[in-house]
Amino acid sequence: GIARDLAATGIGTLKPLQVNQVKPSFVSKYSLTVADEQACPLFAFVEIRNINNKKSPQWLCDLLDNIGIGSISPVVDITNYISYSFGQPMHAYDAAKISNGLTIDTVSSGKIQALNGKEYAYQHGDVVIKDDRETHCIGGIIGGQNSSCSTETTSILLEGASFASINISKTGRRLMVDTDSRYRFERNVDRQFTLQALVIAVEMVLEICGGEVSETKMVGNAKIPGRSIDFPVSTLLHKTGLILEPNKIVEILNKLGFGCNIAGEVIKIEIPSWRYDVSIKEDILEEIVRIYGY
């Protein structure tokens, strides 16, 4: 996001993100069930076996130290790196502590001992991730200690998911738990990038920890419906006093990832999947003005 904004202001050129596909070497025995696809429209995981989760490389430790997080273990560090670099929270489960597979639902109630050492009571409407024995995560907010990864972990289930912001917001407020994951999910993440983020994370795990990766198990849809706005060119002058040619407006918006088509005095604008915060003409005005300059 920062790189895209810098490129839009003319500072350098945005480099395309290279996401290489990882070839699986086995089929995971763990199953995946999503009981409420409205609350969890996309959930995917891969199993990675025979990893060495002992110590992160210095470059990764330094990056996390610089933003005040600190290194925990390679697997956890990689999930934090992905969250802060790409805005996609992730979670890793110690596969040896998971029975049969994962189920995501919103009808359970019970208690979970979370990674922060506190106990939380979840209820109907909260997204929980569980196996056939116990609950392992309050989805999109915080994981449980019962399946946490340690330096002794040799196999993991690495999750990449998207959760409905309304569920995350309600649960987070009621439980009064603030995490980076909650902060991002309740503002929406780019579901169309979730699977790519998972691939990047898998590549990092294999590079840093070694191991073998399974195929991806997925339930849900990585695509979101397209959104568009009709933007009359005259709106810019009436609201801001700025006079810009339609082609200049299109140039700015294109660099920010918007699709544009000029139709007479109106620009038809396609909103990119990562811009949930843009929904009305005034949002488009802000984008134009902040890049053009006050």
Side-chain angles (χ1 to χ4, degrees):
I2 295 169
R4 189 179 290 112
D5 267 18
L6 290 174
T9 61
I11 303 174
T13 303
L14 182 68
K15 294 181 180 179
L17 188 63
Q18 298 295 328
V19 181
N20 303 313
Q21 292 304 311
V22 178
K23 190 174 181 181
S25 58
F26 68 95
V27 177
S28 176
K29 67 177 183 179
Y30 294 97
S31 62
L32 174 60
T33 303
V34 177
D36 187 342
E37 290 195 30
Q38 278 196 317
C40 180
L42 175 65
F43 194 100
F45 74 76
V46 295
E47 181 183 355
I48 309 178
R49 296 175 179 169
N50 301 321
I51 65 169
N52 181 345
N53 194 37
K54 298 299 184 186
K55 183 171 173 51
S56 292
Q58 194 60 46
W59 68 265
L60 182 53
C61 295
D62 290 343
L63 281 177
L64 296 175
D65 283 339
N66 286 342
I67 58 173
I69 295 180
S71 174
I72 298 173
S73 71
V75 167
V76 176
D77 292 352
I78 289 166
T79 61
N80 282 330
Y81 173 87
I82 297 296
S83 180
Y84 279 88
S85 294
F86 302 106
Q88 173 65 54
M90 309 194 80
H91 188 64
Y93 306 83
D94 187 324
K97 301 172 184 176
I98 301 293
S99 171
N100 296 325
L102 296 176
T103 297
I104 297 88
D105 74 32
T106 54
V107 296
S108 299
S109 61
K111 294 182 178 179
I112 184 173
Q113 194 74 21
L115 289 170
N116 61 4
K118 298 180 180 180
E119 185 179 74
Y120 296 100
Y122 55 88
Q123 63 185 32
H124 185 93
D126 298 333
V127 181
V128 297
I129 300 161
K130 58 187 183 179
D131 60 15
D132 56 6
R133 296 180 304 195
E134 56 189 339
T135 297
H136 292 277
C137 186
I138 300 177
I141 296 179
I142 196 165
Q145 288 187 352
N146 51 356
S147 56
S148 61
C149 296
S150 70
T151 54
E152 306 307 313
T153 298
T154 58
S155 296
I156 62 171
L157 299 183
L158 186 60
E159 164 201 313
S162 178
F163 301 98
S165 61
I166 187 68
N167 293 76
I168 302 304
S169 183
K170 285 181 177 178
T171 300
R173 283 202 305 267
R174 196 189 79 254
L175 298 179
M176 293 188 292
V177 54
D178 290 313
T179 60
D180 177 66
S181 180
R182 173 196 165 185
Y183 178 89
R184 295 175 189 277
F185 277 123
E186 68 183 3
R187 288 160 176 79
N188 287 301
V189 301
D190 180 9
R191 196 200 316 170
Q192 292 188 183
F193 184 72
T194 298
L195 296 179
Q196 291 175 279
L198 183 58
V199 171
I200 296 170
V202 167
E203 279 192 304
M204 291 183 69
V205 171
L206 295 178
E207 181 181 335
I208 293 171
C209 305
E212 308 149 18
V213 64
S214 75
E215 87 295 359
T216 301
K217 295 208 172 179
M218 182 188 90
V219 173
N221 190 351
K223 294 287 185 183
I224 63 171
R227 297 181 300 133
S228 62
I229 293 176
D230 284 351
F231 184 80
V233 175
S234 60
T235 304
L236 184 64
L237 175 60
H238 293 159
K239 294 281 188 178
T240 70
L242 288 176
I243 301 173
L244 294 182
E245 292 296 321
N247 287 336
K248 180 61 177 178
I249 295 173
V250 168
E251 179 188 341
I252 290 172
L253 293 174
N254 282 165
K255 288 183 177 180
L256 291 170
F258 294 84
C260 297
N261 181 35
I262 300 174
E265 293 300 309
V266 174
I267 303 174
K268 295 185 176 295
I269 300 170
E270 298 294 326
I271 304 169
S273 60
W274 60 87
R275 293 304 303 270
Y276 281 92
D277 57 318
V278 174
S279 59
I280 58 177
K281 293 193 292 289
E282 284 72 16
D283 295 329
I284 298 295
L285 281 174
E286 289 180 355
E287 296 300 299
I288 298 166
V289 173
R290 73 185 182 85
I291 297 299
Y292 181 75
Y294 295 101

